[in-house]
Amino acid sequence: EPQKNLSTLQDPWTLVWFHGGLSSRDYPADIASATQPNQDPRAREQLAALGAVPKGLTRRRVVLVPPGLSVAALNARKAEYPGAEIVITRFQAQDRFAGFWRVLLNMEDNMSAALTWFERQAASVAAEAGLDDLKKLIDKAMAQKTMDRGSGGRLHRLLDSLAPWIANTGKEQGSLWDKFRGAQIIVDMRSDGLSQRDALGAMLALLCSLSLRRDLKGKPWAVVAILDELNKLISQCRISPAVMSIITELRHRLMMLLIGCHLPSDLPRELRQLCNGLLSGRVEDQEAYDSLCDIKPGFKSISRKTAATLQRGEFMGCFSECSDPALAGQAFLLKIRPAACQSGGQTQTTGDEGADDGA
């Protein structure tokens, strides 16, 4: 409901938190613990001063996980996200988009000619076509000698590797997101059977599919999508032009995309150039400070000494567009609750505000 001193929305936006890891045993998404109302006395006092009380995140929670997880890993997810629905990720007919296969495979720099041919053929058949139907296209091309057997065999193997990710399109004509409208969604791609390239491809395919969803009135879903520590996933591979094209259009689709990383320089330049705003904690390195100023020149108004001495809970920010036009492009300093942040990116603390980091 409306709060006098707090920004609120007339209708809640859907939260989708994308989280990866180096293995199935890596730590869970930080939002996992933010379920119950915060019981810390000081936090409650701070909210009371604004006329509010802690409420926690009580909406239905869904955790999308990759196919092929072991029983032990699935049980671990249930323990990490108590009360959440654990759902195996499977793309349905309406989750496909132009460039879908290339993004999911994350193979922009390999087999380009063969993939381009395949995408064109896949686009020429009905959306409900299954993997077997697509394999027949490859077989036909090899029989007609319009594709060599080496490329055809590699495409066959790639499609076989995608089989666990693709729903039975003859029965599943909608989108995987249709069942989760109004829920809080966590996409947790931690797995011992996925490479960083595979995990990134799956997450970006999900993001692109999500950006195309519409409500019953035909309006885009209002979504806040968070890519947690994206630098881990892109350290060994690149983001495809198909994904960059869709990210460029997100501002027209009621999607707010928040990207978490250690340093802005960890992200591809083309992604940094699309950034509307940037929030940063303490920055001690000259190169990192210069990187901030390169993305948002407004940061030059904050001295390097100030940037290097920010304390836990202190941040600097700069946005190209603001509700107050006078603030556009201007850097500023802000403070948040110490329990909501910790140097190094962790969002839990054992400090004096308590370990429970509920909302």
Side-chain angles (χ1 to χ4, degrees):
E1 65 273 12
Q3 298 283 344
K4 180 179 179 181
N5 298 309
L6 297 175
S7 294
T8 57
L9 299 171
Q10 184 175 0
D11 297 306
W13 285 34
T14 297
L15 171 66
V16 183
W17 187 295
F18 291 84
H19 178 70
L22 300 179
S23 75
S24 65
R25 298 173 299 282
D26 212 335
Y27 60 88
D30 294 317
I31 199 174
S33 62
T35 55
Q36 301 301 314
N38 195 313
Q39 299 300 318
D40 180 77
R42 187 166 61 174
R44 298 180 74 90
E45 290 175 4
Q46 291 174 323
L47 287 174
L50 297 172
V53 295
K55 293 187 176 181
L57 299 176
T58 57
R59 283 192 291 167
R60 173 192 178 197
R61 286 212 302 175
V62 175
V63 180
L64 292 175
V65 299
L69 287 184
S70 66
V71 173
L74 288 171
N75 288 335
R77 297 298 170 270
K78 294 177 182 178
E80 292 164 343
Y81 304 107
E85 302 169 40
I86 310 299
V87 179
I88 305 298
T89 303
R90 288 193 173 89
F91 293 93
Q92 299 180 18
Q94 292 185 14
D95 293 314
R96 299 181 190 177
F97 50 89
F100 169 76
W101 300 103
R102 188 180 296 268
V103 172
L104 181 57
L105 289 167
N106 200 9
M107 297 284 285
E108 186 67 34
D109 52 351
N110 291 314
M111 293 183 64
S112 182
L115 277 176
T116 298
W117 174 90
F118 175 73
E119 285 177 336
R120 289 174 179 170
Q121 296 301 312
S124 69
V125 298
E128 62 270 16
L131 290 181
D132 289 340
D133 298 312
L134 298 175
K135 286 181 180 180
K136 290 178 182 178
L137 294 174
I138 301 172
D139 293 338
K140 182 178 179 180
M142 288 191 294
Q144 295 177 344
K145 299 185 183 299
T146 56
M147 173 175 288
D148 64 84
R149 293 195 171 276
S151 296
R154 288 194 294 273
L155 280 175
H156 261 289
R157 290 191 291 273
L158 285 173
L159 289 181
D160 287 338
S161 70
L162 292 181
W165 293 90
I166 307 300
N168 184 339
T169 51
K171 298 179 180 179
E172 303 289 351
Q173 295 299 308
S175 165
L176 66 88
W177 303 106
D178 291 341
K179 300 176 183 178
F180 310 138
R181 195 182 302 273
Q184 174 201 114
I185 305 167
I186 300 172
V187 178
D188 191 327
M189 285 291 116
R190 291 176 295 156
S191 171
D192 294 326
L194 284 182
S195 67
Q196 298 292 79
R197 177 186 290 273
D198 294 336
L200 179 62
M203 290 173 65
L204 293 178
L206 285 167
L207 177 67
C208 293
S209 169
L210 176 63
S211 74
L212 299 174
R213 292 302 94 216
R214 298 290 187 270
D215 62 20
L216 297 178
K217 297 180 180 179
K219 295 182 179 180
W221 270 24
V223 175
V224 177
I226 300 173
L227 298 182
D228 183 18
E229 295 191 286
L230 183 61
N231 55 291
K232 284 186 177 180
L233 294 174
I234 63 176
S235 59
Q236 299 179 1
C237 45
R238 56 182 296 211
I239 296 179
S240 76
V243 173
M244 289 304 306
S245 175
I246 290 179
I247 290 178
T248 302
E249 296 298 317
L250 292 184
R251 68 186 67 188
H252 306 302
R253 296 176 180 168
L254 281 183
M255 176 178 283
M256 182 183 297
L257 180 61
L258 306 179
I259 297 176
C261 61
H262 291 156
L263 295 171
S265 55
D266 293 336
L267 301 176
R269 173 167 289 276
E270 59 268 32
L271 194 57
R272 301 199 301 266
Q273 291 174 338
L274 294 175
C275 174
N276 173 61
L278 195 153
L279 294 171
S280 175
R282 183 172 64 244
V283 173
E284 299 176 350
D285 181 75
Q286 178 70 53
E287 183 177 354
Y289 176 77
D290 291 341
S291 177
L292 291 177
C293 296
D294 179 56
I295 300 172
K296 297 296 175 189
F299 279 118
K300 294 178 182 178
S301 65
I302 297 177
S303 69
R304 184 179 169 227
K305 179 179 179 181
T306 298
T309 55
L310 293 176
Q311 301 301 305
R312 184 163 63 92
E314 296 180 339
F315 283 78
M316 51 186 175
C318 185
F319 289 79
S320 301
E321 300 175 7
C322 301
S323 56
D324 183 350
L327 296 178
Q330 303 297 314
F332 56 87
L333 298 175
L334 74 157
K335 290 185 177 182
I336 67 172
R337 284 177 41 234
C341 67
Q342 187 172 340
S343 57
Q346 300 295 324
T347 55
Q348 299 178 16
T349 180
T350 56
D352 57 4
E353 194 175 279
D356 180 10
D357 194 22

